[in-house]
Amino acid sequence: MLEDCKNAQERWGGVHRLIDRWLDERRELLVCFVELKEACDTELEAVEKSQIDRFSELLMDYISAGHFEIYPQLREEARHFGDDQALGIAEKLLERLDMSTELMLAFDADYATPVRCRHYLPRLPAWLDRLARGLTERFAMEDQLIARLHAVHTPAANAQATQT
């Protein structure tokens, strides 16, 4: 039994560190978003492509980490624990996350080159408003995934479940 606990800790402790790193990336993304939004609100014409590029890079890294690292690990953890209900919930949330991803990819495409950036600069405030709503919804769905597919399987949650 102790060996099983150790193996679970090694396996899912790594997931916990992965999630922690990802949430740190989320925080960095939000700081960059706020800085870009403030620059946009102050003087739109003074916003530099490098500011947009930095935000876009963090955004693409964040959504890529979710799709290619975090979501698969969370699904695997739920499978390991035989949590079919969580897997069903995850599939619905992941479909909605895919729509959110499409929005963010469209933003990246609109501001990908200097020419496109100049062309779409007047739309940047509206884009940032859409992204604010999209990111808020995305973070809530991702938090649901973490809570349903990971947090319920942690040793502390399992200990609490056996006590009740």
Side-chain angles (χ1 to χ4, degrees), residues 1 13 22 37-39 47 54 63 83 86 91 94 125-126 154 159:
M1 187 163 92
W22 189 52
K37 178 89 170 106
E38 287 173 352
V47 173
R54 176 70 179 137
I63 63 174
D83 196 342
E91 290 312 311
L94 290 170
T154 61

Side-chain angles (χ1 to χ4, degrees), residues 3-107:
E3 188 61 33
D4 288 343
C5 182
K6 184 178 176 186
N7 288 338
Q9 181 67 26
E10 288 171 358
R11 178 180 286 175
W12 308 125
V15 173
H16 185 73
R17 286 186 293 277
L18 187 65
I19 291 169
D20 284 348
R21 189 188 86 232
W22 189 52
L23 293 175
D24 286 342
E25 290 174 8
R26 180 192 285 185
R27 190 174 308 111
E28 185 179 2
L29 171 66
L30 286 171
V31 167
C32 190
F33 176 83
V34 168
E35 289 170 354
L36 180 58
K37 178 89 170 106
E38 287 173 352
C40 187
D41 291 345
T42 301
E43 187 177 347
L44 179 60
E45 295 301 318
V47 173
E48 296 182 15
K49 176 146 176 31
S50 62
Q51 289 175 284
I52 297 169
D53 287 347
R54 176 70 179 137
F55 170 70
S56 196
E57 177 184 326
L58 290 172
L59 182 62
M60 294 300 105
D61 288 349
Y62 179 82
I63 63 174
S64 293
H67 281 284
F68 299 112
E69 294 177 51
I70 305 297
Y71 307 158
Q73 283 290 339
L74 292 173
R75 274 193 237 126
E76 179 58 31
E77 185 175 351
R79 278 189 200 99
H80 174 79
F81 284 96
D83 196 342
D84 292 334
Q85 183 181 13
L87 288 169
I89 292 168
E91 290 312 311
K92 290 177 183 155
L93 287 172
L94 290 170
E95 286 176 20
R96 291 177 54 203
L97 282 165
D98 284 344
M99 294 184 325
S100 171
T101 298
E102 292 302 319
L103 172 72
M104 291 162 200
L105 291 172
F107 171 82

Side-chain angles (χ1 to χ4, degrees), residues 114-131:
V115 170
R116 291 181 67 84
C117 191
R118 276 191 303 278
H119 178 75
Y120 289 113
L121 189 62
R123 297 182 187 175
L124 186 59
W127 253 121
L128 293 177
D129 288 342
R130 286 177 63 200
L131 286 173

